[in-house]
Amino acid sequence: MSQQYNIARLGHQGDGIADGPIFASRTLPGEIVSGTLEGGQLTDIRVEAPSDERVKAPCRHYKSCGGCQLQHASDRFVADWKLGVVRKALEAQGIETEFRPIHTSPAASRRRATVSVRRTKKGTLAGFHGRASGVITEIPDCQLLDPVLIAAIPSVEELAMIGGSRKGELAVTLTLSEVGLDVSVRGGKPLDGPLQMTLAQVIAHKGWARLAWDDEIIAMANPPRQRFGAALVVPPPGAFLQATKDGEQALLAAVLEITSGSKRVIDLFAGCGTFSLPLAETAEVLTVEGEAEMTAALDQGWRMARGLKAVTATTRDLFRRPFMPDELAKFDAVVLDPPRAGAEAQISELVQAKRPVIAYVSCNPVTFARDAERLVSAGYRLNWVQVVDQFRWSAHVELAASFTLSHMND
């Protein structure tokens, strides 16, 4: 008889954890499970006593696909767990605050996904990788992606037949735009004249807005615009974009509320203008982004829009050259949306600049809590946190947070 284990909690990656620690994927706190122990990982897991929060996974691909980690848990459990992840990260830094109800994006709303595709002896195979596996699982009934993305997967397989090697895989990023599908491919054969001509014919037949091959634009039938407030922006191929429009709107609503009434705003890690351009409807904005192509796209979007206040788009590496207190002095609100590493160098300057309002958007509760502690120690108050779950059924957590200088709250 195999040994049994009691699952005590979930880790940050969504795995159940028993004493040891022993990690057991797709298990829940309070469950008794058995399986084969390999190092610190339990495999061939059998749930001997299930949790009341365990549900039947809504997607038939769940067992083999690695795209989701938490479909076996009730929506209520996942929401409470994600709130708890952020709360515990802050508590570890000695911070308590108000948590607003979590905002969860609906199923079938992911507007962007990277599909793995490779050639096989019989043809092609496209989908998501299994958990910690090189095996690709086909996902025709995926419950996560917008149906338009799923419908495009057979066309993605054609790209592998045309430009994929038998040894490697293509990574094909599919993004919904205002005018059609934006397709960006990495890992294919080197681009030469014949391949470029063939790929150009593909986009003509498929009706895609744009096709890029290793960042080189092959053809663009229609600029794949994204709407940010009153502006339409054409991001560079494969550029960062919030995972769902619904989640983006929830984060934007929080940022607009935090900065309400501000006349001069600086948007750090601005991307292509997700927050900057809507902010420009009521405030002058300086945007700062490390990628020059994204800065150019933002600037062009602003120039083509009507009725917006001044937006000055700047390219600058904020990890190496953060904005200094004297540069920040003229702004009455700061927005920052850093990558997973957080904004440690920039926070060091912000605590000295003492700008009255900070809207912090984060995709990593641990680095957010680290940066929040620096701000709170410097005299800021963390007023509230809005957790946004736009990566439904995954362990990923996003949030927006409101900081103001303590004297403003007196």
Side-chain angles (χ1 to χ4, degrees):
M1 184 175 179
S2 61
Q3 186 174 346
Q4 295 187 345
Y5 303 89
N6 294 310
I7 303 301
R9 65 188 191 281
L10 290 194
H12 282 290
Q13 301 302 314
D15 282 351
I17 302 177
D19 289 345
I22 295 169
F23 295 89
S25 65
R26 294 173 180 164
T27 60
L28 295 172
E31 291 188 329
I32 299 172
V33 303
S34 61
T36 303
L37 188 59
E38 298 179 0
Q41 192 77 35
L42 202 63
T43 62
D44 303 321
I45 295 169
R46 179 183 176 89
V47 179
E48 306 291 349
S51 165
D52 291 341
E53 300 291 353
R54 178 172 285 276
V55 298
K56 177 179 171 59
C59 181
R60 70 180 178 91
H61 308 305
Y62 182 54
K63 287 186 178 180
S64 54
C65 175
C68 297
Q69 297 90 47
L70 293 166
Q71 284 196 6
H72 61 288
S74 69
D75 288 348
R76 178 183 65 181
F77 175 89
V78 175
D80 289 346
W81 177 71
K82 292 197 175 190
L83 286 168
V85 167
V86 182
R87 186 176 283 112
K88 288 175 184 175
L90 287 170
E91 287 175 352
Q93 300 288 349
I95 300 173
E96 293 185 0
T97 191
E98 173 195 342
F99 277 79
R100 295 183 168 184
I102 190 170
H103 180 96
T104 301
S105 293
S109 66
R110 279 286 295 273
R111 63 176 173 183
R112 185 177 189 220
T114 299
V115 177
S116 297
V117 55
R118 61 179 172 82
R119 293 172 60 186
T120 66
K121 290 182 180 179
K122 295 182 180 180
T124 57
L125 184 64
F128 290 152
H129 281 284
R131 183 184 175 91
S133 167
V135 177
I136 295 174
T137 298
E138 293 181 299
I139 51 169
D141 295 321
C142 175
Q143 301 297 299
L144 189 66
L145 305 186
D146 185 289
V148 174
L149 299 186
I150 297 171
I153 290 177
S155 298
V156 166
E157 294 176 340
E158 287 185 45
L159 293 178
M161 292 301 293
I162 294 167
S165 70
R166 287 288 292 272
K167 294 182 179 180
E169 284 185 7
L170 297 183
V172 183
T173 300
L174 304 170
T175 306
L176 296 180
S177 78
E178 294 279 311
V179 295
L181 207 59
D182 188 11
V183 182
S184 180
V185 181
R186 290 186 177 276
K189 293 177 181 177
L191 194 61
D192 57 19
L195 178 57
Q196 188 159 354
M197 290 179 61
T198 305
L199 291 171
Q201 292 172 354
V202 169
I203 190 172
H205 289 301
K206 300 300 181 186
W208 294 342
R210 179 172 67 181
L211 173 62
W213 196 267
D214 286 326
D215 292 335
E216 184 169 338
I217 296 173
I218 302 299
M220 185 160 61
N222 207 342
R225 300 177 182 90
Q226 300 291 339
R227 178 171 292 281
F228 301 135
L232 291 168
V233 175
V234 181
F240 172 80
L241 193 68
Q242 296 292 344
T244 70
K245 193 69 177 177
D246 171 87
E248 177 182 284
Q249 291 303 307
L251 292 170
L252 173 60
V255 168
L256 293 176
E257 178 183 343
I258 296 163
T259 60
S260 177
S262 300
K263 299 302 181 186
R264 292 183 62 82
V265 180
I266 183 168
D267 183 5
L268 304 168
F269 307 96
C272 289
T274 302
F275 305 122
S276 309
L277 294 166
L279 282 165
E281 294 179 21
T282 57
E284 293 183 8
V285 184
L286 173 63
T287 75
V288 189
E289 165 57 42
E291 298 291 333
E293 288 184 333
M294 295 176 78
T295 301
L298 189 161
D299 183 62
Q300 181 68 11
W302 171 70
R303 292 178 185 280
M304 297 297 290
R306 293 183 178 182
L308 298 183
K309 293 185 179 295
V311 173
T312 305
T314 304
T315 302
R316 181 156 157 179
D317 184 341
L318 292 170
F319 293 103
R320 295 174 181 269
R321 291 182 57 225
F323 263 66
M324 306 304 285
D326 61 324
E327 296 176 287
L328 294 165
K330 60 186 176 182
F331 299 101
D332 49 2
V334 178
V335 177
L336 67 161
D337 181 13
R340 292 190 61 78
E344 193 168 17
Q346 185 61 72
I347 291 291
S348 294
E349 306 306 329
L350 279 172
V351 299
Q352 297 181 58
K354 295 194 180 299
R355 295 299 79 215
V357 173
I358 298 175
Y360 193 137
V361 178
S362 172
C363 60
N364 184 340
V366 173
T367 56
F368 164 72
R370 176 201 68 199
D371 292 346
E373 191 280 330
R374 292 288 308 280
L375 291 170
V376 170
S377 295
Y380 282 88
R381 175 181 172 183
L382 175 52
N383 300 302
W384 50 262
V385 170
Q386 171 69 68
V387 176
V388 175
D389 183 8
Q390 60 174 326
F391 289 87
R392 192 184 180 106
W393 298 313
S394 83
H396 195 79
V397 183
E398 305 222 346
L399 62 91
S402 165
F403 291 91
T404 50
L405 275 176
S406 293
H407 68 76
M408 295 181 62
N409 304 293
D410 296 339

